[in-house]
């Protein structure tokens, strides 16, 4: 069992790898982005408050996402948690450490998924997912076998994210470099950081992550 963070800019492939780890190792993905999108879809007060912030590509407040994660940690995961898109600020990183400690748990590894910015634009602008099972696809690199039908569950409910466009992406990258990339140094200093080349083919990235996990 291991608790890990997948750390990297939007489009690095955190969600794709988290889904693999769920399937292969029985870990539980905790994506604050997914939780926030769910809150928007179900029309909660919080969902309405964060909608515009998310569409602009800015970060929502630390209090909101820390609250979401705290709630999820109440339910133990035998295979461990994959934190995907959280933490994104130093305050969130400290809060995560405290939350895990209060449950007698620790963080076992932080995996930085390294990519270059040009690749991110190409990845993000072609991205779509299955609204039913969450499988991730791409217009160019990984289209569904039958157009419009999910390979995994057969659903025709394909979704594109409102913030997967070039303007929002620029803002999301700016937020990443200003507020999230300091976490690389933070976890390096704690001796918890491993880096994988996230530009490699999906299976190779998965294998690199598996290697880190098997050592953790
Ligand atoms: P993601 O799906 O991880 O790319 O997140 C989509 C959007 O949700 C981000 O651009 C932010 O607006 C918001 N968000 C997700 N996770 C966080 C977080 N840990 N801290 C602040 N905002 C977040």
């Amino acid at each position: 069992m291991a608790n890990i963070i997948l750390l990297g800019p939007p489009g690095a492939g955190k969600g794709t790898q988290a889904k693999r780890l769920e399937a292969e190792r029985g870990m539980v993905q905790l994506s604050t982005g997914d939780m926030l999108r769910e809150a928007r879809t179900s029309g909660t007060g919080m969902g309405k408050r964060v909608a515009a912030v998310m569409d602009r590509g800015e970060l929502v407040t630390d209090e909101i996402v820390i609250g979401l994660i705290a709630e999820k940690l109440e339910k133990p995961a035998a295979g461990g948690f994959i934190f995907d898109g959280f933490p994104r600020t130093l305050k969130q990183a400290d809060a995560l450490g405290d939350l895990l400690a209060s449950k007698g748990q620790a963080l076992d590894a932080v995996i930085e998924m390294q990519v270059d910015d040009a690749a991110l634009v190409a990845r993000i602008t072609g991205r779509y997912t299955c609204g039913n099972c969450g499988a991730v696809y791409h217009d160019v690199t990984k289209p569904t076998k039958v157009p419009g039908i999910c390979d995994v569950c057969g659903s025709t409910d394909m979704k594109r994210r409102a913030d997967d466009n070039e303007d929002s992406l620029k803002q999301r990258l700016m937020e990443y470099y200003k507020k999230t990339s300091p976490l690389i140094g933070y976890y390096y200093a704690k001796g918890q950081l491993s880096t994988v080349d996230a530009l490699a083919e999906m299976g190779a990235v998965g294998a690199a992550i598996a290697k880190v996990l098997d050592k953790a």
Side-chain angles (χ1 to χ4, degrees):
M1 156 183 167
N3 295 315
I4 65 162
I5 295 174
L6 295 181
L7 184 64
K14 303 185 295 292
T16 300
Q17 294 299 334
K19 293 256 163 347
R20 277 175 78 106
L21 290 169
E22 278 198 320
E24 290 169 9
R25 293 182 183 243
M27 299 174 78
V28 171
Q29 175 192 22
L30 294 185
S31 155
T32 40
D34 284 350
M35 294 173 208
L36 291 166
R37 278 185 290 280
E38 236 172 75
R40 290 179 64 167
T41 312
S42 51
T44 65
M46 183 270 278
K48 286 184 189 140
R49 283 201 304 281
V50 299
V53 176
M54 290 175 75
D55 287 347
R56 282 199 301 272
E58 293 165 11
L59 295 189
V60 311
T61 64
D62 289 332
E63 287 67 28
I64 289 180
V65 288
I66 291 168
L68 288 170
I69 289 288
E71 214 175 284
K72 296 285 180 187
L73 291 184
E74 289 300 320
K75 197 172 154 213
F81 292 108
I82 310 153
F83 298 96
D84 161 11
F86 180 93
R88 265 175 154 99
T89 64
L90 289 166
K91 188 162 171 205
Q92 292 176 24
D94 282 333
L96 177 60
D98 292 346
L99 278 169
L100 287 172
S102 74
K103 304 255 174 297
Q105 293 198 40
L107 200 56
D108 298 288
V110 178
I111 301 175
E112 181 201 356
M113 300 186 62
Q114 230 172 29
V115 275
D116 69 58
D117 290 355
L120 294 178
V121 179
R123 278 191 180 188
I124 287 226
T125 48
R127 181 160 81 168
Y128 59 100
T129 56
C130 171
N132 181 48
C133 75
V136 185
Y137 298 100
H138 190 279
D139 291 326
V140 179
T141 53
K142 195 184 170 231
T144 50
K145 291 196 182 86
V146 181
I149 299 179
C150 178
D151 296 353
V152 180
C153 74
S155 166
T156 52
D157 179 23
M158 293 296 158
K159 287 199 160 64
R160 284 179 199 268
R161 284 172 47 167
D163 60 350
D164 274 353
N165 60 71
E166 271 195 69
D167 279 347
S168 284
L169 175 60
K170 269 192 204 140
Q171 185 59 36
R172 284 154 72 199
L173 273 178
M174 193 64 85
E175 293 282 71
Y176 177 78
Y177 287 118
K178 276 202 299 206
K179 298 175 184 162
T180 308
S181 64
L183 299 187
I184 296 170
Y186 173 93
Y187 287 118
Y188 174 77
K190 283 173 165 269
Q192 290 179 307
L193 190 77
S194 300
T195 300
V196 301
D197 171 14
L199 274 181
E201 176 272 315
M202 207 172 70
V205 179
I209 291 175
K211 215 164 142 188
V212 175
L213 274 175
D214 291 338
K215 271 194 282 179

